[in-house]
Every structure is written in C-alpha cells, then in structure tokens.
Amino acid sequence: MPRLSRRSFLAASAAFAARPATSAPALPATDVVIIGAGAAGIAAARRIAAGGRKFVVLEAADHIGGRCITDTYTFDVPYDRGAHWIHMPDINPVMKLAPRQGLEVYPAPASQKVRIGRRYAREGELEDFLAVQVRANRAITEAARKSDIACEQALPNDLADWRPAIEFVLGPFGCGKDLAEVSAVDFAKSAERGADAFCRQGFGTLISGLAQGVPVQLSTPATAIDMRRNVAVETPKGTIAARAAIVTVSSNVIASGTIKFTPDLATRQQFDAFGKLSLGSYDHIALELKENVLGLESDDLVFEKSSGSRTAAILANISGTPLCFVEVAGSFGRDLSAKGEAAMVNFAADWLAGLYGAEIKQAIRRTHATRWNSEPLALGAFSAAAPGAQSARRVLMEPVDNAVWFAGEAVHETLWGTVGGAWESGERAADAVLRRLGSKEPPPEAEATPKQKPKRGRAEPPMRQGSGAAPRIMREE
Ligand SMILES: Cc1cc2nc3c(=O)[nH]c(=O)nc-3n(C[C@H](O)[C@H](O)[C@H](O)COP(=O)(O)OP(=O)(O)OC[C@H]3O[C@@H](n4cnc5c(N)ncnc54)[C@H](O)[C@@H]3O)c2cc1C
C-alpha cells in the first residue's frame, strides 16, 4: 500500500512508553487496554477517557482509522479506501460529534441511475427496478419472521430479467456477500438507509478528527491476551497489565488466530460467533477519469441491468472531482481481487467500455484498487451473518470472563457493516467496562505476586440496541 498522508493521523502517545519484549516484568499498568484504533476503538477510548479511567490504545498499523481511512497521497484528492457513505447522517453517532471546522458534509444524491447496455433505463424501467427491489426486500423480511434462511431462498421467483441486478444490489453491494451467504434475519434487522451524506475531505478524515487528543500506540500489535488474572496484553514491545480489555479487531482477524487468547478463545461461544460473522468482500477500483467522460453528475451512483454476477456499481465524480469508483463485491469481487490490482483495473476499464464505449479507456489516468481481503489487519470488508447465525451478534456482546469485551461493526445488530455501528459498539463496550470497574481504584500492579483471583461477575446485561443505517439502498419505505 502506498504511504498514507500522516497529517491527520495521531502520533504515538507519550503516556505509554512500551519497552522491548523481554522476560522482565512489564509495563505501565492501566485500567483498560483498547485493541485497535478504528472507529470502535476510538469511540471506546473517548468514552473511557470521559469516565476518568486510564487506558492504552494499541494499534497494529502505523495509522489510525482501520477500515475508515482517507488516502491523500495516491490521487490529488481525498480517496476513501474503506467507508465512504455516511449513512443516515441525522442519527449517525459520528455526525453528532464530528468537528465542525475544516470538514464539509453534504447530502448524497437521493436517486440512482441504471444502465441497460449503452443507454440509461427509461422512467418506466426504473420504476420496474424499484418495484422489484421493494418486493425482494419485503419477501426477505417476511421470510425472516419465520426462520433464518438464506436471503436468496426468500427471493420471489418472478423477478424476471431484473434478478441479477437485484441480487447484486441487495447482496454484494449491500452486504459484501452473495445473497445465498446472507442470513435473512440479519438482513431484515439491519436498519433502513434512508439518506446518506459524504464528507468532501473524506470519511476517514472525519474519523481521524474525532481521534484528536486520543493517545494511540501505533505499530503495536496485540499478539496475546491472558485473561486469567485481570488482563495481560502482549505486544512485541512488552506486556501491559490492565483490569479489562476492549478488543475491536475484525471478525476475520479474530478467527485467523493471530491474537492468542489464554484461556483459549476457541473453546468459547464467542469464537464460534466470529466465524459465523465473517467479512464479505467489497473493494473500490478507483479511476481518475479525464474531462467527465462518463457525463455524470457529482456523486452519481449507477448500477447495471446485468445478466449475471459479473457486474459492479459506479460512483462517479466523487465530491465533484475526476475520481470515480467502480465497486466490486461478493464472490465475483472476491475472485477478481484475488487476481490482483491489474486484473481489477482491467475489469473496470472493460466493463465501463461495455457500458459507455471504448473511448472511455483512453480517458483513464491514474488508478488504484483496494484489496481488503488481503489486508492482514482486516482480512475483508465488513461482516454479514451466515444463514441461521444472526444471533451470533448478540453472543459477541457478552464479555469473556468479565475481563474482555468485544466491539466493532460485527458487534451491532442493526448497524453492522457501518462506521456508525462500529462507533456505537465501541461506546457500548466502554460503558460496560466502566460499570464493571465501578468506583475508581488504582490499576493493578503489573509485577505484583498474583493476588487472589478476582471474582468474575455475572455477564453484563444486554446492551442498548442502536438504530439507524446499514449498507442498503433503496429499501422499502
Ligand atoms: C471497501 C469498504 C467500503 C465500506 N463502505 C462503508 C460505507 O460507505 N459506510 C460505512 O458506514 N461503512 C462502510 N464500510 C464498513 C466500515 O468501514 C467498517 O464497518 C468500520 O470502519 C469498522 O470499524 P471497526 O472499528 O469495527 O474495525 P476496524 O476499522 O477494522 O478497526 C480495527 C483496528 O484494529 C487494528 N488491528 C488489527 N489487528 C490488531 C492487533 N493484533 N493489535 C492491534 N490492532 C489491531 C486494525 O489495524 C484496525 O485499525 C466499508 C468497508 C470497506 C472495507
């Protein structure tokens, strides 16, 4: 990955001077260790700070933001490599807190276009598309009331030649997975996405603004978490003792086993739950296009009336710039991204040429494609529950041994797959940790002889449910 602009990223904190890993006893004890400085970790840190507790944020990457980062290096304009749509800005928790200065947030266009071969869908055809989409949504929601089948099984049989387009919009584009791999209950619980907004300076810039003043230990991966006596978190720079940990890494990272838990997490129901909430595939193929060759307005979203799964969506002229995304996702996107960036850019060029004419290819200047499945600190885009597995999200809201809480987009029942959901889950985990810590006490002595094992309290009560957006479009009103 090219180096990202560091201007908006936080420097490591002087509050935590990590030492080299040795057998020597460790390191500054603290109240809470937060693992990961994406949206959930930043939200948790802010909440713990507001609660007056000491904390350390460990981030494996050399920058904050996780799956919500803005790259100001590859193109001359802000390029959101991960999240870009601010869903339901009126109620999105990050919007309530977003810094007012230096950021311009504006509404996304309310409608989308559909390309049918070399022309746009006519009004009647668009109405058909929307009507079919409403029926598909309704069928999934009704099926979900009875059982947690795959969304694909719930689709009406009579979607006719709109079926591939509907399957793309609701599955890969909305959930990062084909509908055969998505739980109908998870789909139905995800909140409507009535309105969206964009941040001209990038969603990642907005999130990093919210991290101002939050100390983060960059380039410091957690490699092991010992939950036997309070919490001890190992890093290559040393071990940190704490009274609780909030783990915000992605479900695929947990399932990959790169963080070793003691006792073994694999024996716990949470591990199983992470496996059922695996991340789907969603990537941006970013193209700088000369002279608005597509003839689209700023932030126009275009789908194709496709005949199969080999399709994509266009987000054109991002914030009025020459930058366009060709969005690929689901199993087609996963296979394509596995072939590498050149294959992705070639697909985008050929696909656009098929829809707009071969001259498009001459208008392509600089290019880049994200490959989130290959990013070791994410291993995918965002979670979608497997059929029958929606309840896994609630399982992840339960702490492990009253010492480790999970947070992140996967740990949200309605806003999964979004920055807003990640943020709320981080706040919720932090609130639960603050309740567990109760009145202020000094943090545990790192080197002390083990004291009596603290009694593990009962699991926290179920957390408040959020409401708001999910990565859906044009859902039934
Ligand atoms: C291409 C793409 C498009 C998207 N589009 C949208 C959108 O338009 N709108 C929207 O709302 N959402 C979107 N999303 C989803 C959104 O980006 C995520 O839901 C959200 O950013 C997840 O935040 P998080 O804090 O849960 O996880 P993350 O952002 O993944 O944060 C976890 C952090 O943990 C770090 N980490 C990993 N392992 C370790 C370790 N061992 N030790 C320490 N740190 C570690 C990671 O580096 C990362 O910084 C998109 C995602 C992708 C990939």
Side-chain angles (χ1 to χ4, degrees), residues 16 25-33 54-56 58 226 229-235 238-245 443-448:
F16 166 52
L27 297 177
T30 190
D31 289 319
V32 190
V33 179
K54 291 188 194 163
F55 65 93
V56 169
L58 301 178
D226 189 333
R229 284 191 304 273
N230 291 313
V231 178
V233 179
E234 274 179 39
T235 79
T239 302
I240 306 158
R243 299 172 67 201
E445 293 298 322
E447 301 95 315

Side-chain angles (χ1 to χ4, degrees), residues 119-130:
R119 66 171 176 87
Y120 286 108
R122 301 188 182 97
E123 211 172 306
E125 290 167 326
L126 266 182
E127 276 171 22
D128 282 352
F129 176 59
L130 292 173

Side-chain angles (χ1 to χ4, degrees), residues 432-471:
V433 167
L434 289 170
R435 284 197 297 276
R436 141 88 164 80
L437 297 183
S439 60
K440 283 193 189 172
E441 298 167 29
E445 293 298 322
E447 301 95 315
T449 328
K451 293 187 194 133
Q452 200 186 356
K453 189 173 174 179
K455 279 198 185 131
R456 302 292 186 208
R458 280 177 9 150
E460 293 294 332
M463 297 170 195
R464 168 177 77 84
Q465 277 192 40
S467 64

Side-chain angles (χ1 to χ4, degrees), residues 36-48 64-65 67-68 91-99 203-212 214 246 248 406-412 415-431 463-464 466:
I42 295 164
R46 288 172 54 122
R47 204 70 154 211
I48 298 288
I64 63 163
R67 285 171 275 165
C68 188
I91 57 163
N92 194 312
V94 301
M95 282 308 299
K96 287 185 215 136
L97 304 165
F203 201 174
T205 306
L206 188 154
I207 289 296
S208 67
L210 290 174
Q212 293 286 336
V214 176
I246 298 175
T248 72
F406 293 108
E409 57 86 11
V411 195
H412 203 295
L415 300 178
W416 52 266
T418 72
V419 172
W423 190 272
E424 276 197 6
S425 77
E427 290 185 337
R428 230 163 27 188
D431 288 345
M463 297 170 195
R464 168 177 77 84

